[in-house]
Amino acid sequence: MSNGTTAALPARGWLTPFNVIAGAIIVMGLVLTFMRFTQGLGAVTNLDSYTPWGFWIGFDLLAGVALAAGGYTTSAGVYLFGMKKYHAAVRPAILTGFLGYSLVVVALLYDVGRPLRLPYPFLVQQGTTSVMFEVAACVALYLTVLFLEFSSAPLEWLGIKKVARIISKLTILLTIFGVVLSTLHQSSLGAMYLMAPSKLHPLWYSSFMPVFFFVSSIAAGISMVLFEASISHKFFHHKMDKHYEEASAQLVFGFGKAGSVVLAAYFAIKVIGVSLDHNWKYLATGYGAWFLVEILGFVLLPCFLYALGVRDKNKKLIQYTAGWTVLGIIVNRLNVSLVAFNYHLPNDLRYVPHWMEIGISVFLITVAVLVFRFIVTRMPIFFEHPDFPQDDH
Amino acid sequence: MESMMVKTHRRRTWPQAAGLLILLLIGLMAVDLYGDEAPGDPGRADLITLDGMKLLRHELERAPVQFKHDTHTDVIKADGLDCSTCHLSETSGRLSQKFMRLADENYERTMEVYHSNCIGCHQRRLDNDQESGPVTCGDCHRRDPEYTDNRQPMGFDHSLHARHIAATHNKCESCHHEILLTEDEENEEAKRKPSSCRDCHLKVDSRDVPSMSRSAHWACLDCHRQLDAAGKSSGPSRCAGCHDAAKQAAWKIDPNPPRLDRDQPDNVIVSSGIQAPGAHRMKPVRFPHKAHEGYTDTCRACHHGHMQSCSTCHTLDGKHQGAGITLENAFHSFKLDGTCINCHEGSKKRPECAGCHAPMAQNEIPQSACTVCHGGDQQGSPTPKNAQEAEAGTAIAAQTFSFSPGTIPETVLIDSLESKYKGSLFPHRKVIDALLKGYDGKPGVAASRLAAVFHRTNDTLCQGCHHNTPVGQLPPSCTSCHSAPFDENNLNRPGLKGAYHLQCVGCHQKMGLDNLQGCSDCHKPHASKE
Amino acid sequence: MDRSRRKLLKLFAAAGATTALAQPAQAASANKHFDGYPGSYGVLHDTTRCVGCRSCEAACNEVNNLPKPDKPFDDKSVFEEKRRTKTGVFTVVNRYDGVGKDGGPVYRKLQCNHCLEPACGNVCFVHAFTKSPEGAVVYDPSVCVGCRYCLLACPWSLPGYEYDNAFSPVVVRCTMCYPRIKEGKLPGCVEACPMEALTFGKRDDLIKIARDRIEKHPDRYIDHIYGEKEISGTSWLYLSGVPFDKIGLSTHVGVTPPPKLTAGALGAVPMVVGLWPALLTGVWAINKRKEKVAAQEQAEAVKTAIDQTTTKANADLDDYKKKAELQKEKAIDQAVKKALAEAEKAREQAEEKA
């Protein structure tokens, strides 16, 4: 903890353990990046033609996008559903969302074979029958929306008052637009795997995958906001104003309650999914046990723990549960993309991530964390800018 | 303060509970992933499923017991005991085939017989520190059967029958009891013609006659046991001896068993049996019965259980007693077992035949083939037993093949497609010789009566390769019809390259020749190509 | 060859003309069923005929100008492992040991199946795959971003990817020799096959041929044409003497046309775009209205309270005033009375004195 605190205080010098480790990761990441872009995907990944989507898609894209859902869930809750009292939580959530989505796009630059052609689906030729086209369009638009939503912070920081006020006026419109786009692409990430009915294990494959992905993204967003708030509180406590602190304390119980409800709904539709496809028989297999771990251990358990935490006003329990749920979402997305995918293949043909793939993901996350630190230590994220008191929308 | 303590306590238990749950599920998963590996169990031939109470119309309360009969026989023998340890004697002196009882009175009684005797014996042996069986419910009544049942059906074939004739010194009555029992004059017929056991002994017990299975176990086992007791050589008395596949395969086979003598005809006129003046019917078939006796292992192969003529049950309009199968289908159906056609069709799959026959359409009878069987205009009754003229004058005439030198080329150079490879020198004469005289120890066409009957002329043989060539004509070149592949106007006709390769490679494969391993076995590469 | 080429071209033109009218698969509405372009071509692979000579592999390598492999094409040791398409390899023949009717090996060629409604084409977000009216699924590497969704979506994982190519990797797959077909030539592998284990022709004809073979040789073939209905049909068809899953052709791919799989999800997009903003604006408006009403009510309550206080105060004041006046009058009365009484008294006293 002291490490983090000192790390957040540049005044005490740069040679903190946090900075040393982050520096090492960045050096490694740069080397791996060089390898990736000079020797090809084969040099740093274990991807093959049976498993064309590996750790980067499963973790960086699927889990990343789900966990970046805090932006739209929080802003929708505060601005649209009238939960004004959590107002101060919006900015950190939007920032996390913006950085998360940026990280996803950067990760995609690593993953696609020809990164410079990433704008092709918009500029050169449109494959409108593809779910991925929809995902790409929504992610691109949503990134823009997030950027605009987030931009008020740097604008205030830089003192560009006029533009900041215009952005502030657009809040409701941007929020609605953000929710629409998020609904679409969160669900479409699940829809992408609809194309592989014979490759994805029946317990995970369902025609409801888009709904599963969407609903779980709400739970992920809620949990990520809670998780991130508790982490931030540890490291950026000094940057928080009274406003934020108050909202944050209330937020834990409000969001905990919401998390419990959403997870309960998610559990229900997962059970419906299993029974509609008559998949009960698979529960008695090895994959079935793992499925039960996911759905009991990472859905039903946190659902229960959130409820317990809210009832007992146990802030710590809710925060740990949030962390556990975040882990659960990652497990779910990795299950769909890696564990249950290609379940029919013999073991020697199955994919296991190369350490360098994980290395690059860690590198990207480290960069995102550093950017986050840069921003929150400077811009009005955890506090209100004195010149821009938050007006009611 | 107190509430704080509660909280701390809870904080410790929940992660622990979650961890425990996950460990448990992972354990389950591991058990499942590695648990279902089936052991390499070849199965047992001596398994008896103890579910006889079902006959008392009583559902079993627990899973039926798999009983290993041979294991028990061996133990009893080792103890110097005999079958009567478990099987009671009936009034006739025979041993009951039931366990420790003569009949099933009721459910409770039968259950009691098993429970007290099985568990009693097992317990006694346990008390005496002897190798023993289970004494608890679940060890006998297992829901997942411990062994797979691999019991093979058992029946006599000509060879086994001949061995028993020799062993009993031609005393048919030792087994065929009706000969022994029938003393009156009217049944003289039956006395002379012992029928198949299955004629009377059906699959299940009938009112007066025990099932085939029960009577066979009495007849065979009693005899074997008596011989055993007398110290004479005898047949098996353990289950596996008769019902185990490996044991069956190891039996001594007499390749040329003597013909069964039950007054059957050498040749049979097969007809519908209906004499309708003026009606045009298929000409009857003169069927060389004696010749066919050698082609089957048993009489049952054609005659089911009894030995009547086919038309007794199979009528032209398919009566109930013939299972609805018409006389025509009984002889000609490709789908039914034991029909003439099916047996003949099957013989085309022998390697020495398949080279030519495999590419031809299956299950089609060319019109010209009808008269091969239905060709004669013979009338009258079956030839008497052991008629001197047996086959010579009456049986269907067989072709003898001869290709005098010069009628066919010694070799043919096939080089019309030369490109990557050089042409192939086809040893035409050698191939004909192999077909005629046989190869690799397999018989040639000339040695097979079936082949000799159905390949009516020399040209028939040529048609194996030179298909569509009219009889008596010099075969045209393959290029007359085959050219570029995939002709839209003749979808099924291969191109020239395909025609050659399909014919040559296909024939070599089907005849079991492995002398074609690569292109260079037929073709020499061009000199230019290295 | 010349004659057949002309004929092929003619057929090709006819096929093109008829299909120009037909809409592509994706445009078909819910109840319509795309049966493939009429007159499109395909290849029938009869695995009972294949002898594993690898002539097709060699021919494919040659006509596509691919790099020579490490092991020559007559090296049978490659059958020791199951191979697949990869960089420089568009097709391979694999050997499946011990699965044949006589316990022998069965060989099967593996390449793109050229589906009637290709999953790869459906998922490509730059539309790099086109099902041509001639039957080939044509790939345009010039727009390919390299997302590899096509590899994921293909039920047989048939496309390969050049993972070791750092700068211009492309998807590796059989082209069905589309350029050669357009020239009226046969696909390279088909032309090379000595056993006619590969038959080229119109897909409809190939199905007839396949049925005819099954009909005539019921013992040789499984009664199924693989690719006739699999994922709604493929241009590459297979016949086999053993169950197809024993020769590596999945029997779990189903018969659903791939576009159907995501049709529901994609169909929901306009609904979400149309309904969500209205719904969310509604929710926002309701909340806004709630706040406004609350504010109004509060204001009213305050006003009422103030009014009430004021009225009461005024009333009190009036009361007080009245009381004060009464008291005043009383006081005056008393004072007057007192004065009168005193005056009377004074007069009486004065009278007594006087």
Side-chain angles (χ1 to χ4, degrees):
Chain A
M1 185 150 147
S2 61
N3 292 348
T5 326
T6 45
L9 291 166
R12 285 203 203 167
W14 285 99
L15 261 178
T16 60
F18 177 87
N19 282 355
V20 169
I21 294 169
I25 291 174
I26 285 174
V27 169
M28 171 201 73
L30 290 175
V31 172
L32 294 181
T33 304
F34 181 76
M35 282 174 70
R36 153 67 188 94
F37 289 105
T38 53
Q39 294 168 43
L41 283 163
V44 294
T45 70
N46 274 346
L47 294 170
D48 59 24
S49 297
Y50 290 108
T51 314
W53 290 359
F55 188 75
W56 291 342
I57 296 292
F59 183 76
D60 297 11
L61 177 68
L62 296 186
V65 167
L67 296 176
Y72 87 90
T73 18
T74 314
S75 56
V78 169
Y79 295 130
L80 303 180
F81 291 86
M83 302 175 189
K84 286 257 169 68
K85 52 186 172 178
Y86 308 139
H87 191 278
V90 171
R91 274 211 179 161
I94 294 282
L95 173 62
T96 320
F98 177 61
L99 287 179
Y101 275 90
S102 307
L103 183 138
V104 166
V105 173
V106 175
L108 282 178
L109 291 175
Y110 281 79
D111 187 74
V112 299
R114 308 197 66 167
L116 293 179
R117 287 182 175 182
L118 207 55
Y120 270 30
F122 310 117
L123 304 180
V124 179
Q125 196 159 275
Q126 291 77 38
T128 48
T129 56
S130 175
V131 179
M132 193 189 253
F133 181 78
E134 189 212 324
V135 172
C138 289
V139 168
L141 287 171
Y142 186 51
L143 194 61
T144 317
V145 168
L146 279 171
F147 175 73
L148 289 175
E149 286 187 302
F150 162 71
S151 63
S152 48
L155 288 171
E156 287 172 14
W157 180 51
L158 297 168
I160 309 172
K161 296 186 181 183
K162 261 190 187 164
V163 189
R165 297 232 187 273
I166 293 172
I167 296 291
S168 176
K169 289 264 186 302
L170 286 174
T171 303
I172 296 300
L173 191 69
L174 287 176
T175 305
I176 290 178
F177 205 37
V179 174
V180 170
L181 292 170
S182 292
T183 309
L184 291 178
H185 75 258
Q186 291 286 2
S187 59
S188 294
L189 285 175
M192 290 207 300
Y193 281 88
L194 288 176
M195 290 304 292
S198 56
K199 294 183 183 177
L200 188 55
H201 191 280
L203 279 172
W204 280 272
Y205 186 90
S206 158
S207 47
F208 295 112
M209 266 196 294
V211 186
F212 293 162
F213 268 58
F214 173 61
V215 176
S216 59
S217 84
I218 299 175
I222 290 168
S223 304
M224 193 60 188
V225 167
L226 287 171
F227 180 67
E228 187 251 297
S230 67
I231 301 280
S232 297
H233 194 267
K234 263 188 185 172
F235 298 117
F236 304 111
H237 187 57
H238 59 286
K239 280 284 165 190
M240 295 168 177
D241 64 2
K242 214 180 118 226
H243 230 83
Y244 178 84
E245 295 268 21
E246 276 170 12
S248 171
Q250 283 185 314
L251 177 114
V252 170
F253 301 116
F255 269 38
K257 201 188 282 178
S260 182
V261 171
V262 173
L263 282 173
Y266 180 58
F267 180 77
I269 58 174
K270 283 291 260 189
V271 172
I272 289 170
V274 173
S275 66
L276 279 183
D277 290 340
H278 302 289
N279 283 337
W280 296 107
K281 56 184 178 291
Y282 296 111
L283 289 182
T285 64
Y287 277 103
W290 183 235
F291 180 78
L292 287 176
V293 168
E294 183 195 315
I295 189 167
L296 297 179
F298 289 106
V299 180
L300 199 58
L301 180 68
C303 167
F304 176 65
L305 293 182
Y306 267 141
L308 206 66
V310 171
R311 196 195 66 178
D312 297 353
K313 298 278 174 224
N314 185 343
K315 196 173 161 186
K316 273 270 173 284
L317 178 62
I318 291 177
Q319 282 170 344
Y320 279 121
T321 308
W324 184 249
T325 313
V326 166
L327 186 66
I329 294 295
I330 296 172
V331 167
N332 169 258
R333 297 306 196 257
L334 289 181
N335 276 347
V336 170
S337 59
L338 305 180
V339 178
F341 192 77
N342 275 340
Y343 72 104
H344 60 292
L345 284 185
N347 277 339
D348 57 324
L349 290 181
R350 294 203 53 182
Y351 161 88
V352 176
H354 196 282
W355 73 264
M356 290 197 237
E357 288 175 71
I358 299 170
I360 285 176
S361 290
V362 169
F363 162 64
L364 293 177
I365 291 168
T366 309
V367 171
V369 168
L370 289 177
V371 173
F372 184 83
R373 191 180 71 167
F374 177 85
I375 291 172
V376 297
T377 49
R378 285 165 182 79
M379 300 184 193
I381 302 298
F382 294 122
F383 59 92
E384 278 184 15
H385 198 282
D387 294 350
F388 299 89
Q390 293 293 320
D391 45 351
D392 291 341
H393 297 284
Chain B
M1 199 61 220
E2 205 183 298
S3 74
M4 268 305 289
M5 281 183 66
V6 171
K7 259 179 213 167
T8 340
H9 175 69
R10 187 178 290 126
R11 225 177 293 146
R12 251 182 229 151
T13 21
W14 280 115
Q16 278 170 357
L20 210 68
L21 182 77
I22 288 165
L23 276 179
L24 189 78
L25 286 164
I26 289 170
L28 271 175
M29 194 160 65
V31 167
D32 185 78
L33 285 178
Y34 296 99
D36 55 7
E37 259 182 59
D41 176 22
R44 296 183 65 113
D46 68 332
L47 293 177
I48 295 173
T49 307
L50 303 181
D51 57 358
M53 278 92 119
K54 274 189 180 163
L55 293 176
L56 298 165
R57 303 200 181 281
H58 203 303
E59 278 304 309
L60 299 179
E61 285 163 25
R62 280 176 165 268
V65 176
Q66 265 194 337
F67 178 77
K68 297 173 283 180
H69 196 279
D70 280 348
T71 307
H72 288 81
T73 313
D74 295 344
V75 167
I76 281 163
K77 208 171 178 184
D79 282 3
L81 301 169
D82 64 359
C83 304
S84 62
T85 316
C86 297
H87 295 284
L88 306 179
S89 287
E90 290 179 350
T91 42
S92 62
R94 290 186 308 205
L95 287 180
S96 165
Q97 288 179 3
K98 292 177 188 299
F99 172 65
M100 291 305 269
R101 66 195 188 282
L102 293 174
D104 289 308
E105 289 164 33
N106 57 46
Y107 180 77
E108 287 74 19
R109 176 86 197 93
T110 304
M111 185 169 77
E112 175 57 22
V113 166
Y114 279 110
H115 285 172
S116 61
N117 287 299
C118 297
I119 301 172
C121 184
H122 289 175
Q123 191 62 53
R124 270 197 302 283
R125 294 180 63 85
L126 278 178
D127 293 343
N128 297 340
D129 279 343
Q130 286 170 296
E131 195 195 351
S132 182
V135 288
T136 51
C137 309
D139 288 344
C140 281
H141 296 278
R142 296 173 75 104
R143 204 163 297 163
D144 304 314
E146 207 171 351
Y147 307 98
T148 42
D149 189 354
N150 192 22
R151 190 159 92 141
Q152 301 300 313
M154 168 65 195
F156 271 29
D157 59 13
H158 290 324
S159 160
L160 206 54
H161 195 263
R163 282 175 63 190
H164 281 82
I165 292 174
T168 56
H169 306 292
N170 266 330
K171 288 204 190 83
C172 305
E173 61 273 22
S174 357
C175 301
H176 293 277
H177 53 86
E178 87 269 32
I179 297 177
L180 200 69
L181 299 174
T182 313
E183 292 293 338
D184 56 326
E185 279 297 304
E186 280 134 88
N187 269 331
E188 193 61 20
E189 187 83 350
K191 198 172 171 182
R192 273 198 290 113
K193 289 185 185 176
S195 182
S196 157
C197 308
R198 286 169 171 83
D199 205 349
C200 299
H201 298 281
L202 307 177
K203 274 195 178 145
V204 290
D205 291 335
S206 57
R207 208 176 341 152
D208 307 317
V209 188
S211 71
M212 180 64 201
S213 158
R214 292 215 302 138
S215 33
H217 281 105
W218 265 319
C220 304
L221 279 174
D222 280 357
C223 189
H224 290 179
R225 277 175 43 232
Q226 280 163 21
L227 289 168
D228 266 342
K232 292 180 190 165
S233 91
S234 86
S237 49
R238 294 171 85 248
C239 305
C242 290
H243 293 287
D244 185 72
K247 291 265 165 58
Q248 286 183 355
W251 285 339
K252 254 191 310 185
I253 301 288
D254 183 351
N256 290 308
R259 191 184 182 199
L260 278 182
D261 181 15
R262 64 176 304 281
D263 220 11
Q264 72 272 43
D266 290 356
N267 292 292
V268 183
I269 302 291
V270 179
S271 71
S272 64
I274 298 167
Q275 301 289 334
H280 290 282
R281 296 199 182 278
M282 248 357 240
K283 284 180 177 155
V285 175
R286 186 162 287 266
F287 176 69
H289 191 279
K290 185 181 174 186
H292 283 78
E293 284 168 31
Y295 301 141
T296 57
D297 287 343
T298 65
C299 303
R300 275 178 289 130
C302 303
H303 283 283
H304 311 300
H306 47 71
M307 297 298 139
Q308 286 131 336
S309 81
C310 308
S311 58
T312 316
C313 302
H314 298 293
T315 57
L316 282 176
D317 48 358
K319 283 277 161 46
H320 170 68
Q321 64 265 38
I325 294 162
T326 63
L327 188 64
E328 194 273 331
N329 271 332
F331 291 119
H332 300 112
S333 170
F334 284 105
K335 283 186 179 171
L336 299 168
D337 284 339
T339 64
C340 302
I341 286 283
N342 225 344
C343 202
H344 288 176
E345 186 74 12
S347 58
K348 288 184 192 169
K349 287 175 193 150
R350 294 204 292 254
E352 60 268 30
C353 307
C356 294
H357 282 285
M360 298 175 188
Q362 241 178 289
N363 300 355
E364 265 181 34
I365 317 171
Q367 287 173 355
S368 61
C370 299
T371 51
V372 174
C373 300
H374 292 279
D377 51 358
Q378 299 94 332
Q379 296 283 325
S381 57
T383 47
K385 191 188 177 213
N386 297 333
Q388 286 304 306
E389 72 276 16
E391 309 213 340
T394 52
I396 299 155
Q399 168 72 20
T400 47
F401 299 95
S402 65
F403 292 97
S404 47
T407 49
I408 50 169
E410 209 50 46
T411 56
V412 178
L413 181 65
I414 303 171
D415 59 354
S416 55
L417 283 166
E418 266 195 355
S419 63
K420 192 173 170 186
Y421 291 96
K422 277 194 165 182
S424 172
L425 192 64
F426 175 66
H428 196 286
R429 182 89 210 185
K430 192 177 143 198
V431 169
I432 291 282
D433 282 349
L435 286 176
L436 270 179
K437 295 170 189 160
Y439 66 100
D440 290 354
K442 298 185 177 80
V445 169
S448 158
R449 269 194 58 80
L450 180 68
V453 165
F454 280 90
H455 299 92
R456 310 235 68 181
T457 66
N458 276 344
D459 291 339
T460 318
L461 209 61
C462 303
Q463 284 182 330
C465 294
H466 299 284
H467 61 116
N468 298 341
T469 301
V471 174
Q473 300 287 311
L474 194 68
S477 152
C478 303
T479 52
S480 307
C481 302
H482 295 281
S483 59
F486 318 129
D487 184 353
E488 296 267 350
N489 300 316
N490 203 329
L491 297 173
N492 286 323
R493 181 188 291 164
L496 187 59
K497 183 165 74 172
Y500 281 135
H501 287 99
L502 281 171
Q503 196 77 274
C504 298
V505 178
C507 189
H508 275 250
Q509 278 181 339
K510 293 294 174 193
M511 293 182 79
L513 296 161
D514 53 3
N515 54 356
L516 290 193
Q517 290 296 331
C519 306
S520 56
D521 288 326
C522 296
H523 303 281
K524 297 227 166 8
H526 275 299
S528 59
K529 199 194 167 225
E530 271 122 35
Chain C
M1 197 63 229
D2 207 12
R3 186 182 53 119
S4 73
R5 178 195 298 179
R6 238 183 295 128
K7 210 175 347 170
L8 217 62
L9 278 172
K10 223 160 61 187
L11 285 162
F12 176 81
T18 40
T19 48
L21 302 167
Q23 284 299 304
Q26 288 83 357
S29 73
N31 259 342
K32 280 188 186 149
H33 173 62
F34 182 67
D35 251 342
Y37 290 109
S40 71
Y41 293 102
V43 177
L44 171 67
H45 178 25
D46 187 337
T47 59
T48 68
R49 289 184 174 186
C50 183
V51 292
C53 67
R54 301 182 67 206
S55 302
C56 48
E57 289 185 40
C60 179
N61 183 281
E62 200 180 313
V63 301
N64 290 300
N65 298 315
L66 299 171
K68 290 277 165 249
D70 298 338
K71 288 182 178 174
F73 285 108
D74 52 5
D75 187 343
K76 303 255 163 133
S77 68
V78 296
F79 289 130
E80 297 306 319
E81 54 175 339
K82 297 278 174 290
R83 298 172 301 146
R84 61 156 297 140
T85 50
K86 57 175 187 188
T87 310
V89 182
F90 290 0
T91 185
V92 292
V93 175
N94 275 327
R95 186 176 69 196
Y96 296 87
D97 283 317
V99 302
K101 284 233 157 102
D102 48 359
V106 174
Y107 298 91
R108 179 177 69 88
K109 184 176 175 296
L110 172 155
Q111 75 299 305
C112 172
N113 282 336
H114 296 275
C115 307
L116 299 186
E117 298 188 68
C120 53
N122 187 59
V123 301
C124 183
F125 71 161
V126 286
H127 207 304
F129 295 93
T130 321
K131 177 76 176 175
S132 76
E134 299 80 23
V137 174
V138 183
Y139 165 65
D140 175 7
S142 73
V143 293
C144 178
V145 179
C147 71
R148 308 184 300 284
Y149 196 3
C150 47
L151 276 73
L152 181 113
C154 176
W156 300 278
S157 297
L158 287 169
Y161 195 70
E162 296 183 335
Y163 286 101
D164 294 322
N165 184 339
F167 301 107
S168 54
V170 291
V171 172
V172 186
R173 53 182 288 286
C174 155
T175 62
M176 205 166 149
C177 284
Y178 185 59
R180 283 173 62 91
I181 293 179
K182 286 195 116 174
E183 287 172 34
K185 290 185 192 160
L186 290 167
C189 53
V190 175
E191 191 179 72
C193 181
M195 293 294 287
E196 279 192 24
L198 300 172
T199 306
F200 179 82
K202 283 186 191 163
R203 187 174 180 272
D204 297 342
D205 289 341
L206 294 179
I207 288 173
K208 280 181 205 141
I209 293 175
R211 282 206 199 297
D212 185 64
R213 286 187 194 168
I214 294 171
E215 168 84 8
K216 284 194 175 137
H217 301 282
D219 283 358
R220 189 191 296 172
Y221 296 105
I222 294 285
D223 188 7
H224 182 77
I225 306 167
Y226 193 94
E228 186 189 6
K229 298 205 176 76
E230 274 69 15
I231 73 159
S232 86
T234 58
S235 291
W236 215 279
L237 305 162
Y238 299 84
L239 280 176
S240 172
V242 297
F244 285 95
D245 51 2
K246 287 194 177 168
I247 54 169
L249 283 167
S250 169
T251 47
H252 296 286
V253 295
V255 295
T256 314
K260 273 267 157 65
L261 295 170
T262 51
L266 283 171
V269 172
M271 289 297 121
V272 171
V273 173
L275 287 177
W276 245 218
L279 219 76
L280 294 170
T281 313
V283 170
W284 171 73
I286 289 169
N287 281 313
K288 191 90 184 160
R289 170 92 187 132
K290 228 161 75 185
E291 284 164 20
K292 208 172 160 187
V293 168
Q296 242 170 20
E297 279 173 356
Q298 204 181 359
E300 267 169 30
V302 169
K303 194 169 167 270
T304 324
I306 291 171
D307 284 356
Q308 279 174 349
T309 327
T310 321
T311 325
K312 195 167 173 265
N314 286 345
D316 287 353
L317 200 66
D318 286 351
D319 276 2
Y320 181 72
K321 274 182 184 166
K322 274 180 193 166
K323 273 183 195 162
E325 243 164 72
L326 276 174
Q327 271 177 344
K328 213 173 164 185
E329 275 174 27
K330 243 187 194 168
I332 291 171
D333 275 359
Q334 274 177 345
V336 170
K337 273 180 191 168
K338 202 180 169 184
L340 283 175
E342 273 175 18
E344 187 67 21
K345 214 179 174 178
R347 196 186 52 92
E348 278 171 17
Q349 276 174 354
E351 272 175 21
E352 275 172 31
K353 268 180 201 175

